[in-house]
Amino acid sequence: MSQPAARTTIYAARTILTMNPAQPRATHVAVRDGRILGVGSREDLAGWGPAQVDERYADRVLMPGLVEGHCHLPEGGMWKFVYVGYYDRRGPDGRLWQGLKSFDEVAGRLRDFERALAQGETLIGWGFDPIFFGGERMSIRDLDAVSADRAVVVMHASMHLMNVNTPMLAQAGIDRDTDIEGVSRLADGQPSGELCEFAAMFPVLRLIGSPFRTVGMTEEGLRMFGKVAQWAGVTTATDLVNELGDEGLATLARVTAEPDYPVRIVPAASALTYAGDPARCLEKLEAARRLNHDKLRLGMVKLVVDGSIQGFTARVRWPGYYNGAPNGIWVIAPAELDAMVQAYHDAGAQLHIHTNGDEATQLAIDAVDRALQRTPRRDHRHTLQHCQMADAAQFRRMASLGMCVNLFANHIFYWGDAHYALTMGPDRANRMDACASAARAGVPFAIHSDAPITPLGPLFTAWCAVNRQTSSGRVLGESERIGVDAALHAITLGAAYTLCLDHLVGSIEVGKHADFCVLEDDPTATPPERLKDIKVLGTVIGGRPLALQDA
């Protein structure tokens, strides 16, 4: 008995921006079995036989589902905790949380939430950054004023530092005699409550269960992330630090497999979790890959070399930090990086390597170079993530080695003024997140939000790369601006390329997943300064339309 013919749906649109240079525009796209069957005019698609024509997007603009090449699943679940950031931010439920402009306002919001907590429960805040407060640092005095009895933890926006109060220091066993790099001190030698980088934060995270990671792998957190991604027009997103816990992976595989789950997830195994033991990480990753399906793709590995520029924990070359701060912290010791890169490279894994400072970038480039000399490998696509301070010579080295880069364009808006005045100074700040330099050198590049560090929103990220405007309105490095077409490529096909998924997503082409972003306006016909204001009206995942509730 023959099987019934698969149903074909043809979506009509005002225009379809395909991101396929061989066929950049269309008005109709045919979908069958969740994949793109044909692209063109209604007449072009007639040869595929009977089809249902769906006119719901006839007055809308379709483009490929946006690809976020560097974010984290906790972008959804973080909203279980208290947002205490400097900038206004909208939660998954649409509520706008006002940014907090003083330490007193931060303490006040924490106290408001503290009243609702059960006895003994830790109060957790996130999104804080002291760089916006005139150089003053938060200390135990500020958080003890929130509660002298309850443990209080405030994660910085960068996720590379945290502040805690006296009860939390006591529970974690951090005192005057603690000999861990990154424990900040008061004038009398007592811990100030500011903990810099993972080694210093670990005693606290161990006690509270690493909630900033695990919250993203809960069912509630995953569903919240799906909502955030859909509001942003994102249909493929990374989780660029995943600890590969069995329970979380099982939940991730189950939830993402649901037909209406709105986003494909691409996790990267956290090498840091496996304490410098690549063999153990690779063994766990190989087992986890058995869970892969169309909307879950495990296989990448994440290394973190240094810290955060605005946290002064990134490793920078001469002449160092503009304000004279000491150089940052090596998260992976230079003596250990070569062996780690070599082990993962030899195993065939694709590496995504966090480097913020240019000294860390140089170390990573050299490690990849040596690995390739020992074990040549075509099309490895090892990608430097953030890579904010890279100069032209470093981009040329990356190109010669077949490396990719994913630049943190959002930083220009959120921290550009601080980089200009405090961290890097004018000349180096003007070359930060240098998309134009990457393009000139021929390095395949993407741009990203690093959500929850900054909000998930690729159209805003594209606006940052095109306009390079800080929050005060300063243009930071006009010569590093890129055009709208290049920015749109970076949040679609460019990002897909860095994830080794450009054969499946990132453009509207025959054979790829039928993933679309529905827009109110055409971004190529919109003034560049308004790119961030284009409204996302919905998404399509595997040919299934998913409308936003208030669109």
Side-chain angles (χ1 to χ4, degrees):
M1 184 175 178
S2 62
Q3 294 291 322
R7 174 178 167 178
T8 300
T9 301
I10 295 176
Y11 292 105
R14 184 167 91 231
T15 189
I16 299 174
L17 184 62
T18 69
M19 303 309 298
N20 173 13
Q23 186 187 20
R25 293 278 179 174
T27 57
H28 293 73
V29 56
V31 175
R32 182 186 293 172
D33 291 333
R35 299 168 68 186
I36 297 167
L37 180 66
V39 187
S41 66
R42 179 68 184 93
E43 293 73 22
D44 292 333
L45 303 179
W48 289 111
Q52 176 183 343
V53 178
D54 192 319
E55 298 275 355
R56 75 182 73 194
Y57 306 129
D59 294 326
R60 308 302 187 188
V61 175
L62 293 183
M63 67 178 294
L66 306 183
V67 181
E68 175 51 86
H70 187 146
C71 68
H72 305 273
L73 289 174
E75 164 70 356
M78 290 293 280
W79 292 95
K80 291 169 59 71
F81 310 129
V82 189
Y83 176 66
V84 291
Y86 183 81
Y87 292 99
D88 295 353
R89 189 149 175 172
R90 196 172 299 278
D93 61 356
R95 176 179 173 181
L96 183 67
W97 291 85
Q98 296 294 322
L100 305 177
K101 308 305 184 187
S102 70
F103 285 1
D104 286 343
E105 289 184 8
V106 171
R109 183 170 291 173
L110 288 167
R111 277 193 293 271
D112 289 344
F113 275 77
E114 195 267 345
R115 298 186 188 102
L117 294 183
Q119 186 173 0
E121 187 176 353
T122 300
L123 174 61
I124 298 175
W126 66 282
F128 173 74
D129 195 329
I131 204 166
F132 299 119
F133 299 100
E136 186 181 356
R137 310 298 288 189
M138 181 180 278
S139 76
I140 50 176
R141 289 186 288 269
D142 299 289
L143 292 185
D144 286 352
V146 174
S147 178
D149 304 308
R150 183 189 302 278
V152 180
V153 176
V154 174
M155 180 60 83
H156 287 212
S158 69
M159 297 289 220
H160 285 264
L161 298 88
M162 67 167 54
N163 279 87
V164 301
N165 66 347
T166 297
M168 189 73 256
L169 285 174
Q171 290 181 30
I174 298 173
D175 57 24
R176 180 191 294 271
D177 299 322
T178 298
D179 184 20
I180 300 175
E181 184 181 17
V183 176
S184 300
R185 308 278 175 176
L186 298 170
D188 63 2
Q190 291 285 358
S192 71
E194 184 177 84
L195 307 174
C196 307
E197 294 303 333
F198 301 107
M201 295 189 292
F202 178 74
V204 173
L205 294 173
R206 179 179 56 188
L207 282 177
I208 64 177
S210 297
F212 303 107
R213 297 293 181 210
T214 58
V215 72
M217 296 287 278
T218 64
E219 181 162 347
E220 180 184 14
L222 288 169
R223 298 200 185 284
M224 292 171 75
F225 180 85
K227 291 179 182 178
V228 172
Q230 194 183 356
W231 280 108
V234 171
T235 57
T236 298
T238 60
D239 181 34
L240 216 57
V241 174
N242 194 290
E243 298 180 353
L244 304 182
D246 291 341
E247 183 177 351
L249 285 176
T251 302
L252 180 62
R254 174 176 56 81
V255 172
T256 53
E258 294 174 0
D260 285 338
Y261 190 72
V263 60
R264 303 180 195 277
I265 303 297
V266 189
S270 170
L272 191 66
T273 301
Y274 294 87
D277 186 350
R280 192 160 64 97
C281 181
L282 287 164
E283 180 182 2
K284 183 69 176 178
L285 182 58
E286 184 59 31
R289 290 177 68 175
R290 299 182 189 125
L291 298 171
N292 281 353
H293 53 71
D294 274 353
K295 284 159 69 177
L296 178 64
R297 180 65 65 95
L298 287 137
M300 308 185 306
V301 175
K302 172 78 174 290
L303 301 177
V304 179
V305 178
D306 69 340
S308 152
I309 298 175
Q310 72 272 26
F312 299 97
T313 59
R315 293 291 306 195
V316 297
R317 296 188 297 191
W318 186 91
Y321 283 103
Y322 190 54
N323 69 346
N327 209 346
I329 293 173
W330 291 113
V331 176
I332 297 175
E336 299 172 1
L337 184 63
D338 263 22
M340 294 182 70
V341 168
Q342 191 74 55
Y344 290 113
H345 174 81
D346 287 350
Q350 187 203 15
L351 285 168
H352 289 260
I353 308 174
H354 164 122
T355 69
N356 263 314
D358 47 6
E359 185 181 18
T361 290
Q362 191 64 45
L363 190 77
I365 291 171
D366 290 344
V368 170
D369 192 352
R370 285 188 282 268
L372 284 165
Q373 289 180 39
R374 298 182 192 110
T375 312
R377 184 175 141 202
R378 296 179 61 187
D379 199 26
H380 54 81
R381 302 193 202 180
H382 297 321
T383 299
L384 296 187
Q385 294 285 344
H386 304 328
C387 198
Q388 296 198 75
M389 290 310 306
D391 62 18
Q394 289 177 325
F395 282 119
R396 290 191 290 270
R397 283 279 309 284
M398 292 178 224
S400 73
L401 297 171
M403 298 175 71
C404 305
V405 67
N406 192 350
L407 297 164
F408 198 170
N410 282 19
H411 239 265
I412 296 162
F413 176 81
Y414 286 103
W415 287 282
D417 291 317
H419 294 319
Y420 188 94
L422 293 172
T423 70
M424 291 293 103
D427 49 358
R428 287 181 294 167
N430 278 317
R431 78 157 195 254
M432 293 186 74
D433 299 294
C435 293
S437 287
R440 286 190 290 266
V443 180
F445 72 93
I447 52 179
H448 66 270
S449 69
D450 197 15
I453 311 307
T454 69
L456 186 70
L459 289 174
F460 176 82
T461 302
W463 174 87
C464 289
V466 168
N467 294 279
R468 293 187 65 88
Q469 186 173 306
T470 70
S471 60
S472 72
R474 179 193 302 276
V475 174
L476 200 63
E478 186 172 359
S479 64
E480 290 297 344
R481 285 172 161 175
I482 57 174
V484 170
D485 288 346
L488 295 178
H489 182 273
I491 60 172
T492 53
L493 204 52
Y497 184 86
T498 69
L499 302 176
C500 298
L501 291 176
D502 52 306
H503 61 301
L504 295 174
V505 299
S507 61
I508 299 178
E509 297 184 58
V510 175
K512 290 191 174 185
H513 293 308
D515 298 349
F516 313 133
C517 173
V518 185
L519 301 176
E520 188 171 51
D521 298 306
D522 181 349
T524 66
T526 299
E529 62 272 15
R530 290 193 52 242
L531 193 57
K532 64 182 175 59
D533 303 318
I534 295 174
K535 189 174 182 180
V536 175
L537 300 177
T539 56
V540 177
I541 186 84
R544 299 174 71 92
L546 303 172
L548 293 171
Q549 289 182 354
D550 69 346

